[in-house]
mmCIF file of all heavy atoms in Angstrom:
data_model
loop_
_atom_site.group_PDB
_atom_site.id
_atom_site.type_symbol
_atom_site.label_atom_id
_atom_site.label_comp_id
_atom_site.label_asym_id
_atom_site.label_seq_id
_atom_site.Cartn_x
_atom_site.Cartn_y
_atom_site.Cartn_z
ATOM 1 N N ARG F 1 0.845 -1.208 0.000
ATOM 2 C CA ARG F 1 0.000 0.000 0.000
ATOM 3 C C ARG F 1 0.876 1.252 0.000
ATOM 4 O O ARG F 1 0.599 2.215 -0.705
ATOM 5 C CB ARG F 1 -0.936 -0.020 1.215
ATOM 6 C CG ARG F 1 -1.761 1.211 1.356
ATOM 7 C CD ARG F 1 -2.827 1.290 0.258
ATOM 8 N NE ARG F 1 -3.300 2.650 0.159
ATOM 9 C CZ ARG F 1 -3.304 3.371 -0.947
ATOM 10 N NH1 ARG F 1 -2.900 2.858 -2.084
ATOM 11 N NH2 ARG F 1 -3.726 4.600 -0.945
ATOM 12 N N LEU F 2 1.933 1.238 0.814
ATOM 13 C CA LEU F 2 2.854 2.381 0.809
ATOM 14 C C LEU F 2 3.527 2.522 -0.547
ATOM 15 O O LEU F 2 3.726 3.639 -1.030
ATOM 16 C CB LEU F 2 3.880 2.240 1.933
ATOM 17 C CG LEU F 2 3.333 2.510 3.333
ATOM 18 C CD1 LEU F 2 4.335 2.085 4.391
ATOM 19 C CD2 LEU F 2 2.964 3.973 3.492
ATOM 20 N N HIS F 3 3.865 1.402 -1.161
ATOM 21 C CA HIS F 3 4.456 1.455 -2.507
ATOM 22 C C HIS F 3 3.488 2.101 -3.497
ATOM 23 O O HIS F 3 3.901 2.840 -4.386
ATOM 24 C CB HIS F 3 4.807 0.054 -3.010
ATOM 25 C CG HIS F 3 5.983 -0.549 -2.323
ATOM 26 N ND1 HIS F 3 6.366 -1.844 -2.543
ATOM 27 C CD2 HIS F 3 6.872 -0.052 -1.437
ATOM 28 C CE1 HIS F 3 7.437 -2.116 -1.825
ATOM 29 N NE2 HIS F 3 7.761 -1.035 -1.135
ATOM 30 N N ASP F 4 2.203 1.825 -3.349
ATOM 31 C CA ASP F 4 1.205 2.387 -4.258
ATOM 32 C C ASP F 4 1.143 3.907 -4.149
ATOM 33 O O ASP F 4 0.808 4.587 -5.105
ATOM 34 C CB ASP F 4 -0.174 1.785 -3.971
ATOM 35 C CG ASP F 4 -1.167 2.053 -5.084
ATOM 36 O OD1 ASP F 4 -0.788 1.940 -6.267
ATOM 37 O OD2 ASP F 4 -2.319 2.376 -4.773
ATOM 38 N N THR F 5 1.485 4.426 -2.978
ATOM 39 C CA THR F 5 1.489 5.887 -2.794
ATOM 40 C C THR F 5 2.855 6.487 -3.119
ATOM 41 O O THR F 5 3.057 7.681 -2.940
ATOM 42 C CB THR F 5 1.091 6.269 -1.354
ATOM 43 O OG1 THR F 5 2.037 5.727 -0.435
ATOM 44 C CG2 THR F 5 -0.299 5.794 -1.023
ATOM 45 N N GLY F 6 3.796 5.636 -3.565
ATOM 46 C CA GLY F 6 5.112 6.128 -3.954
ATOM 47 C C GLY F 6 6.098 6.224 -2.807
ATOM 48 O O GLY F 6 7.129 6.869 -2.929
ATOM 49 N N LYS F 7 5.809 5.576 -1.688
ATOM 50 C CA LYS F 7 6.682 5.644 -0.518
ATOM 51 C C LYS F 7 7.309 4.284 -0.239
ATOM 52 O O LYS F 7 6.776 3.261 -0.605
ATOM 53 C CB LYS F 7 5.884 6.121 0.688
ATOM 54 C CG LYS F 7 5.373 7.539 0.512
ATOM 55 C CD LYS F 7 4.450 7.915 1.645
ATOM 56 C CE LYS F 7 3.937 9.324 1.501
ATOM 57 N NZ LYS F 7 3.121 9.546 0.335
ATOM 58 N N SER F 8 8.430 4.306 0.460
ATOM 59 C CA SER F 8 9.125 3.084 0.828
ATOM 60 C C SER F 8 8.353 2.352 1.927
ATOM 61 O O SER F 8 7.699 2.978 2.769
ATOM 62 C CB SER F 8 10.523 3.430 1.342
ATOM 63 O OG SER F 8 11.123 2.304 1.944
ATOM 64 N N GLY F 9 8.472 1.048 1.946
ATOM 65 C CA GLY F 9 7.827 0.249 2.977
ATOM 66 C C GLY F 9 8.388 0.518 4.361
ATOM 67 O O GLY F 9 7.730 0.278 5.375
ATOM 68 N N ARG F 10 9.590 1.052 4.416
ATOM 69 C CA ARG F 10 10.189 1.395 5.710
ATOM 70 C C ARG F 10 9.406 2.480 6.433
ATOM 71 O O ARG F 10 9.545 2.659 7.630
ATOM 72 C CB ARG F 10 11.634 1.840 5.522
ATOM 73 C CG ARG F 10 12.533 0.697 5.179
ATOM 74 C CD ARG F 10 13.977 1.124 5.116
ATOM 75 N NE ARG F 10 14.526 0.513 3.901
ATOM 76 C CZ ARG F 10 15.236 1.140 2.998
ATOM 77 N NH1 ARG F 10 15.534 2.397 3.144
ATOM 78 N NH2 ARG F 10 15.665 0.504 1.933
ATOM 79 N N ARG F 11 8.574 3.180 5.684
ATOM 80 C CA ARG F 11 7.767 4.245 6.268
ATOM 81 C C ARG F 11 6.794 3.681 7.312
ATOM 82 O O ARG F 11 6.257 4.410 8.128
ATOM 83 C CB ARG F 11 7.034 4.970 5.144
ATOM 84 C CG ARG F 11 6.110 6.036 5.529
ATOM 85 C CD ARG F 11 6.550 7.455 5.638
ATOM 86 N NE ARG F 11 7.409 8.130 4.764
ATOM 87 C CZ ARG F 11 7.071 9.170 4.047
ATOM 88 N NH1 ARG F 11 5.827 9.553 3.968
ATOM 89 N NH2 ARG F 11 7.960 9.834 3.364
ATOM 90 N N MET F 12 6.562 2.361 7.299
ATOM 91 C CA MET F 12 5.692 1.732 8.302
ATOM 92 C C MET F 12 6.232 1.947 9.706
ATOM 93 O O MET F 12 5.469 2.004 10.664
ATOM 94 C CB MET F 12 5.575 0.227 8.052
ATOM 95 C CG MET F 12 4.577 -0.126 7.020
ATOM 96 S SD MET F 12 4.397 -1.892 6.766
ATOM 97 C CE MET F 12 4.645 -2.605 8.355
ATOM 98 N N LEU F 13 7.541 2.064 9.820
ATOM 99 C CA LEU F 13 8.156 2.229 11.136
ATOM 100 C C LEU F 13 7.730 3.525 11.818
ATOM 101 O O LEU F 13 7.878 3.660 13.030
ATOM 102 C CB LEU F 13 9.681 2.165 11.012
ATOM 103 C CG LEU F 13 10.231 0.830 10.513
ATOM 104 C CD1 LEU F 13 11.732 0.918 10.312
ATOM 105 C CD2 LEU F 13 9.870 -0.287 11.465
ATOM 106 N N ILE F 14 7.175 4.441 11.059
ATOM 107 C CA ILE F 14 6.703 5.695 11.630
ATOM 108 C C ILE F 14 5.615 5.450 12.669
ATOM 109 O O ILE F 14 5.441 6.226 13.599
ATOM 110 C CB ILE F 14 6.216 6.653 10.522
ATOM 111 C CG1 ILE F 14 6.271 8.090 10.997
ATOM 112 C CG2 ILE F 14 4.821 6.317 10.060
ATOM 113 C CD1 ILE F 14 6.154 9.093 9.877
ATOM 114 N N ALA F 15 4.910 4.349 12.554
ATOM 115 C CA ALA F 15 3.840 4.011 13.499
ATOM 116 C C ALA F 15 4.384 3.746 14.904
ATOM 117 O O ALA F 15 3.623 3.756 15.870
ATOM 118 C CB ALA F 15 3.057 2.805 13.003
ATOM 119 N N LEU F 16 5.685 3.530 15.032
ATOM 120 C CA LEU F 16 6.286 3.283 16.336
ATOM 121 C C LEU F 16 6.489 4.552 17.150
ATOM 122 O O LEU F 16 6.753 4.477 18.343
ATOM 123 C CB LEU F 16 7.621 2.550 16.164
ATOM 124 C CG LEU F 16 7.543 1.169 15.499
ATOM 125 C CD1 LEU F 16 8.931 0.607 15.276
ATOM 126 C CD2 LEU F 16 6.679 0.227 16.311
ATOM 127 N N ILE F 17 6.368 5.706 16.523
ATOM 128 C CA ILE F 17 6.499 6.973 17.241
ATOM 129 C C ILE F 17 5.254 7.143 18.105
ATOM 130 O O ILE F 17 4.140 7.061 17.604
ATOM 131 C CB ILE F 17 6.637 8.157 16.262
ATOM 132 C CG1 ILE F 17 7.887 7.990 15.411
ATOM 133 C CG2 ILE F 17 6.652 9.488 17.018
ATOM 134 C CD1 ILE F 17 7.979 8.994 14.271
ATOM 135 N N PRO F 18 5.423 7.385 19.403
ATOM 136 C CA PRO F 18 4.242 7.512 20.274
ATOM 137 C C PRO F 18 3.299 8.639 19.823
ATOM 138 O O PRO F 18 3.729 9.686 19.372
ATOM 139 C CB PRO F 18 4.843 7.838 21.643
ATOM 140 C CG PRO F 18 6.236 7.321 21.573
ATOM 141 C CD PRO F 18 6.663 7.473 20.139
ATOM 142 N N ILE F 19 2.052 8.403 19.936
ATOM 143 C CA ILE F 19 0.917 9.290 19.669
ATOM 144 C C ILE F 19 0.829 9.729 18.211
ATOM 145 O O ILE F 19 -0.115 9.384 17.515
ATOM 146 C CB ILE F 19 0.900 10.500 20.619
ATOM 147 C CG1 ILE F 19 0.821 9.999 22.069
ATOM 148 C CG2 ILE F 19 -0.284 11.415 20.322
ATOM 149 C CD1 ILE F 19 1.074 11.047 23.114
ATOM 150 N N ALA F 20 1.775 10.495 17.717
ATOM 151 C CA ALA F 20 1.685 11.035 16.356
ATOM 152 C C ALA F 20 1.959 9.975 15.290
ATOM 153 O O ALA F 20 1.428 10.061 14.182
ATOM 154 C CB ALA F 20 2.654 12.194 16.187
ATOM 155 N N GLY F 21 2.756 8.969 15.595
ATOM 156 C CA GLY F 21 3.138 7.960 14.624
ATOM 157 C C GLY F 21 1.959 7.209 14.016
ATOM 158 O O GLY F 21 1.839 7.137 12.792
ATOM 159 N N PRO F 22 1.081 6.640 14.847
ATOM 160 C CA PRO F 22 -0.070 5.928 14.270
ATOM 161 C C PRO F 22 -0.975 6.826 13.431
ATOM 162 O O PRO F 22 -1.515 6.387 12.415
ATOM 163 C CB PRO F 22 -0.809 5.394 15.500
ATOM 164 C CG PRO F 22 0.245 5.288 16.549
ATOM 165 C CD PRO F 22 1.187 6.422 16.283
ATOM 166 N N VAL F 23 -1.101 8.077 13.823
ATOM 167 C CA VAL F 23 -1.923 9.010 13.046
ATOM 168 C C VAL F 23 -1.282 9.251 11.688
ATOM 169 O O VAL F 23 -1.952 9.203 10.649
ATOM 170 C CB VAL F 23 -2.126 10.339 13.810
ATOM 171 C CG1 VAL F 23 -2.800 11.375 12.935
ATOM 172 C CG2 VAL F 23 -2.911 10.103 15.087
ATOM 173 N N MET F 24 0.023 9.480 11.668
ATOM 174 C CA MET F 24 0.731 9.713 10.413
ATOM 175 C C MET F 24 0.694 8.460 9.531
ATOM 176 O O MET F 24 0.570 8.560 8.311
ATOM 177 C CB MET F 24 2.172 10.149 10.693
ATOM 178 C CG MET F 24 2.235 11.515 11.343
ATOM 179 S SD MET F 24 3.812 12.035 12.056
ATOM 180 C CE MET F 24 5.028 11.459 10.963
ATOM 181 N N TYR F 25 0.761 7.289 10.149
ATOM 182 C CA TYR F 25 0.681 6.024 9.416
ATOM 183 C C TYR F 25 -0.681 5.893 8.739
ATOM 184 O O TYR F 25 -0.771 5.569 7.555
ATOM 185 C CB TYR F 25 0.933 4.865 10.380
ATOM 186 C CG TYR F 25 0.728 3.502 9.786
ATOM 187 C CD1 TYR F 25 1.687 2.949 8.945
ATOM 188 C CD2 TYR F 25 -0.413 2.768 10.061
ATOM 189 C CE1 TYR F 25 1.508 1.686 8.398
ATOM 190 C CE2 TYR F 25 -0.600 1.510 9.520
ATOM 191 C CZ TYR F 25 0.359 0.975 8.695
ATOM 192 O OH TYR F 25 0.175 -0.264 8.150
ATOM 193 N N LEU F 26 -1.753 6.167 9.475
ATOM 194 C CA LEU F 26 -3.103 6.075 8.905
ATOM 195 C C LEU F 26 -3.316 7.072 7.773
ATOM 196 O O LEU F 26 -3.953 6.749 6.773
ATOM 197 C CB LEU F 26 -4.157 6.278 9.987
ATOM 198 C CG LEU F 26 -4.391 5.075 10.884
ATOM 199 C CD1 LEU F 26 -5.348 5.421 12.008
ATOM 200 C CD2 LEU F 26 -4.913 3.898 10.098
ATOM 201 N N VAL F 27 -2.771 8.259 7.926
ATOM 202 C CA VAL F 27 -2.875 9.252 6.855
ATOM 203 C C VAL F 27 -2.167 8.733 5.606
ATOM 204 O O VAL F 27 -2.675 8.865 4.493
ATOM 205 C CB VAL F 27 -2.295 10.613 7.302
ATOM 206 C CG1 VAL F 27 -2.118 11.562 6.135
ATOM 207 C CG2 VAL F 27 -3.188 11.238 8.363
ATOM 208 N N GLY F 28 -1.017 8.110 5.787
ATOM 209 C CA GLY F 28 -0.294 7.532 4.649
ATOM 210 C C GLY F 28 -1.073 6.426 3.965
ATOM 211 O O GLY F 28 -1.038 6.283 2.742
ATOM 212 N N MET F 29 -1.807 5.651 4.737
ATOM 213 C CA MET F 29 -2.580 4.549 4.162
ATOM 214 C C MET F 29 -3.830 5.032 3.426
ATOM 215 O O MET F 29 -4.356 4.329 2.579
ATOM 216 C CB MET F 29 -2.997 3.553 5.249
ATOM 217 C CG MET F 29 -1.852 2.792 5.822
ATOM 218 S SD MET F 29 -1.012 1.844 4.535
ATOM 219 C CE MET F 29 0.454 1.368 5.365
ATOM 220 N N THR F 30 -4.306 6.218 3.753
ATOM 221 C CA THR F 30 -5.486 6.751 3.072
ATOM 222 C C THR F 30 -5.131 7.603 1.865
ATOM 223 O O THR F 30 -6.019 7.998 1.115
ATOM 224 C CB THR F 30 -6.351 7.590 4.036
ATOM 225 O OG1 THR F 30 -5.573 8.678 4.532
ATOM 226 C CG2 THR F 30 -6.871 6.752 5.184
ATOM 227 N N ALA F 31 -3.846 7.875 1.668
ATOM 228 C CA ALA F 31 -3.419 8.714 0.546
ATOM 229 C C ALA F 31 -3.783 8.060 -0.785
ATOM 230 O O ALA F 31 -3.858 6.840 -0.898
ATOM 231 C CB ALA F 31 -1.915 8.953 0.620
ATOM 232 N N ASP F 32 -3.988 8.897 -1.786
ATOM 233 C CA ASP F 32 -4.334 8.393 -3.112
ATOM 234 C C ASP F 32 -3.110 7.769 -3.778
ATOM 235 O O ASP F 32 -1.975 8.096 -3.468
ATOM 236 C CB ASP F 32 -4.873 9.534 -3.976
ATOM 237 C CG ASP F 32 -5.644 9.029 -5.177
ATOM 238 O OD1 ASP F 32 -5.952 7.822 -5.236
ATOM 239 O OD2 ASP F 32 -5.948 9.846 -6.065
ATOM 240 N N SER F 33 -3.354 6.891 -4.714
ATOM 241 C CA SER F 33 -2.298 6.205 -5.454
ATOM 242 C C SER F 33 -1.579 7.149 -6.399
ATOM 243 O O SER F 33 -2.129 8.155 -6.822
ATOM 244 C CB SER F 33 -2.908 5.097 -6.315
ATOM 245 O OG SER F 33 -3.648 4.225 -5.544
ATOM 246 N N VAL F 34 -0.359 6.769 -6.732
ATOM 247 C CA VAL F 34 0.335 7.425 -7.832
ATOM 248 C C VAL F 34 -0.289 6.839 -9.094
ATOM 249 O O VAL F 34 -0.247 5.626 -9.291
ATOM 250 C CB VAL F 34 1.850 7.141 -7.773
ATOM 251 C CG1 VAL F 34 2.548 7.698 -8.986
ATOM 252 C CG2 VAL F 34 2.449 7.680 -6.488
ATOM 253 N N PRO F 35 -0.917 7.665 -9.941
ATOM 254 C CA PRO F 35 -1.684 7.121 -11.070
ATOM 255 C C PRO F 35 -0.849 6.502 -12.184
ATOM 256 O O PRO F 35 -1.382 5.799 -13.026
ATOM 257 C CB PRO F 35 -2.454 8.338 -11.584
ATOM 258 C CG PRO F 35 -1.658 9.506 -11.142
ATOM 259 C CD PRO F 35 -0.986 9.111 -9.869
ATOM 260 N N THR F 36 0.432 6.742 -12.171
ATOM 261 C CA THR F 36 1.293 6.201 -13.220
ATOM 262 C C THR F 36 2.260 5.178 -12.632
ATOM 263 O O THR F 36 2.298 4.965 -11.429
ATOM 264 C CB THR F 36 2.100 7.336 -13.875
ATOM 265 O OG1 THR F 36 2.880 7.975 -12.857
ATOM 266 C CG2 THR F 36 1.192 8.349 -14.540
ATOM 267 N N THR F 37 3.055 4.583 -13.481
ATOM 268 C CA THR F 37 4.074 3.649 -13.022
ATOM 269 C C THR F 37 5.065 4.384 -12.136
ATOM 270 O O THR F 37 5.479 5.501 -12.440
ATOM 271 C CB THR F 37 4.808 3.034 -14.231
ATOM 272 O OG1 THR F 37 3.847 2.328 -15.023
ATOM 273 C CG2 THR F 37 5.900 2.092 -13.798
ATOM 274 N N ASN F 38 5.417 3.771 -11.010
ATOM 275 C CA ASN F 38 6.462 4.338 -10.164
ATOM 276 C C ASN F 38 7.547 3.282 -9.980
ATOM 277 O O ASN F 38 7.519 2.238 -10.635
ATOM 278 C CB ASN F 38 5.899 4.848 -8.828
ATOM 279 C CG ASN F 38 5.326 3.761 -7.944
ATOM 280 O OD1 ASN F 38 5.581 2.576 -8.125
ATOM 281 N ND2 ASN F 38 4.543 4.154 -6.953
ATOM 282 N N GLU F 39 8.502 3.535 -9.092
ATOM 283 C CA GLU F 39 9.624 2.611 -8.943
ATOM 284 C C GLU F 39 9.213 1.241 -8.410
ATOM 285 O O GLU F 39 9.987 0.289 -8.450
ATOM 286 C CB GLU F 39 10.693 3.218 -8.041
ATOM 287 C CG GLU F 39 10.215 3.481 -6.619
ATOM 288 C CD GLU F 39 11.263 4.180 -5.774
ATOM 289 O OE1 GLU F 39 12.251 3.523 -5.410
ATOM 290 O OE2 GLU F 39 11.060 5.369 -5.503
#
């Protein structure tokens, strides 16, 4: 899912940050896809 938004899978680790991390993770998961081919 993170790849679909053009981000690295390592970005999942952001959820480990207390309080703000899970919120930022959920925002990343709701982001729209990159409509074209990405890396």
Side-chain angles (χ1 to χ4, degrees):
R1 176 70 198 125
L2 286 169
H3 288 173
D4 194 42
T5 62
K7 296 173 179 64
S8 169
R10 288 185 225 132
R11 177 91 41 117
M12 278 182 34
L13 297 175
I14 203 165
L16 298 175
I17 299 171
I19 301 168
V23 172
M24 293 167 39
Y25 173 77
L26 283 174
V27 168
M29 291 300 168
T30 60
D32 198 12
S33 304
V34 174
T36 59
T37 299
N38 65 17
E39 63 184 288

